[in-house]
Each structure stands twice: as structure tokens, then as C-alpha cells.
């Protein structure tokens, strides 16, 4: 990485020590640290740190996530999730790499992402519309398959999400039948 690129990345630090609610979405990588209360939804790129005094009630989508405080909500970390000592995570977590310190609490389901997702660092999830286009199937048929559990996917709020690798594996299995 060139020096200028490192400087640009280092400049994109946001440290929030307040009570907030809403949706925080970042298209460019940032280093975001939450030290106060937050309620809503995070959609971040880069590093997200939930400080030890933070109380977050939100679904979180990010790349590298470190939790020191309390999170109530589902977490999807595309690269890594670290849950430090005294942290509490109440909700389902999805990630390729997980580290949990002694004393940390996780209450919810844990799902590991596939190796291809970890290697590429790219988001490998489809929306309903994207999986319909990928498979050449009507959106209504995808919803029918998802609601009946016949296609691998998971609900994120009210929306369905589909992991590309699981869809590819499903295609292979369905052709064999």
C-alpha cells in the first residue's frame, strides 16, 4: 500500500462517544469506534470497534469487528470477529474467523463463512433479486424456496440473504437429484 493510501485510510477515523440511533452505512473503509449507546443498524467497511462502555442494540454488517462492550443484535463480519474479555454479544453471529477471550459471553447461533469468502475478503452474499438473476429464476420462486427452507439462506431483519458458496453447493446437489 502506498504511503498516500495509508495516510488517507488513517484519516478516516470516526470515534463516537454519544447516544445515537439510526442507520450508519459506510461505502468506503473507515475505522469506527463506538463508545456510547447506539440503537439501529450498522453497515460498515473497515474496522468497527464497540468500546467497553458501549451498549449497542443493532444488527451489524462489517468486515473487521471487535466487541469490548455489549451488543444486542445479529453480527455479520466478513473478515473477522473478536469478542474481548467482559464483552457480551446477544444475537446470531456469522464470520470466517472468530476469537473469543475468556470471560466473554456469546448467546446465539454461530455460523462460519466459507474459505473463499475469507480469502477474497469480498462480500459473498446475494439479495433475493441478485440470487434470482444469478439462477435465472423469478423472484417469487426464490421467495417461495427460501420461505419453505428449500434453498439455503437466512433472514436479516425482513430481508433474505444468500451466501454465494452455499448457493453454488445447492445447485450441484439439486442437479444430482
Amino acid at each position: 500500500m502506498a504511503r498516500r493510501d495509508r495516510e488517507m485510510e488513517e484519516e478516516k477515523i470516526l470515534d463516537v462517544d454519544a447516544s445515537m440511533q439510526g442507520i450508519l452505512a459506510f461505502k468506503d473503509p473507515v475505522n469506527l469506534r463506538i463508545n456510547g449507546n447506539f440503537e439501529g443498524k450498522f453497515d460498515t467497511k473497515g474496522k468497527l470497534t464497540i468500546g467497553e462502555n458501549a451498549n449497542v442494540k443493532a444488527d451489524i454488517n462489517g468486515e473487521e469487528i471487535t466487541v469490548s462492550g455489549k451488543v444486542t443484535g445479529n453480527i455479520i463480519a466478513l473478515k473477522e470477529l473478536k469478542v474481548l474479555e467482559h464483552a457480551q454479544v446477544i444475537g446470531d453471529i456469522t464470520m470466517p474467523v472468530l476469537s473469543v477471550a475468556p470471560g466473554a459471553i456469546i448467546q446465539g447461533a454461530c455460523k462460519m463463512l466459507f474459505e473463499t469468502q475469507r480469502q477474497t475478503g469480498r462480500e459473498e452474499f446475494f439479495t433475493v433479486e441478485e440470487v434470482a438473476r444469478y439462477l435465472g429464476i423469478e423472484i417469487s420462486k426464490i421467495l417461495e424456496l427460501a420461505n419453505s427452507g428449500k434453498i439455503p439462506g437466512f433472514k436479516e431483519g425482513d430481508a433474505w440473504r444468500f451466501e454465494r458458496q452455499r448457493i453454488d453447493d445447492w445447485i450441484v446437489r439439486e442437479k444430482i437429484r
Side-chain angles (χ1 to χ4, degrees), residues 19-78:
S19 292
M20 298 174 55
Q21 69 182 107
I23 298 172
L24 282 180
F26 296 92
K27 293 185 188 232
D28 294 324
V30 296
N31 291 325
L32 177 62
R33 186 173 34 244
I34 303 296
N35 294 312
N37 298 320
F38 182 84
E39 191 171 329
K41 183 175 180 179
F42 283 110
D43 192 1
T44 68
K45 293 192 186 286
K47 295 180 181 180
L48 171 63
T49 302
I50 306 299
E52 66 181 55
N53 297 318
N55 185 8
V56 173
K57 294 179 182 175
D59 287 336
I60 301 171
N61 290 316
E63 292 176 336
E64 298 176 48
I65 302 169
T66 302
V67 179
S68 297
K70 183 174 182 180
V71 174
T72 303
N74 299 325
I75 299 174
I76 297 174
L78 295 174

Side-chain angles (χ1 to χ4, degrees), residues 81-101:
L81 174 62
K82 294 178 186 175
V83 184
L84 304 180
E85 185 180 21
H86 305 299
Q88 294 180 16
V89 176
I90 301 169
D92 297 341
I93 57 175
T94 304
M95 73 281 118
V97 177
L98 173 65
S99 63
V100 181

Side-chain angles (χ1 to χ4, degrees), residues 61-62 75-79 94-96 111-114 117 122-128 130-131 152-154 156 160-167:
N61 290 316
I75 299 174
I76 297 174
L78 295 174
K79 291 184 179 178
T94 304
M95 73 281 118
K111 182 166 63 168
M112 300 295 285
L113 294 174
F114 284 89
Q117 293 163 321
R122 290 191 329 244
E123 184 171 345
E124 296 283 341
F125 292 99
F126 288 129
T127 63
V128 172
E130 290 167 336
V131 81
F154 62 95
E156 185 178 278
W160 280 99
R161 301 273 283 181
F162 305 89
E163 291 180 62
R164 180 188 195 111
Q165 184 64 50
R166 290 185 188 229
I167 292 297

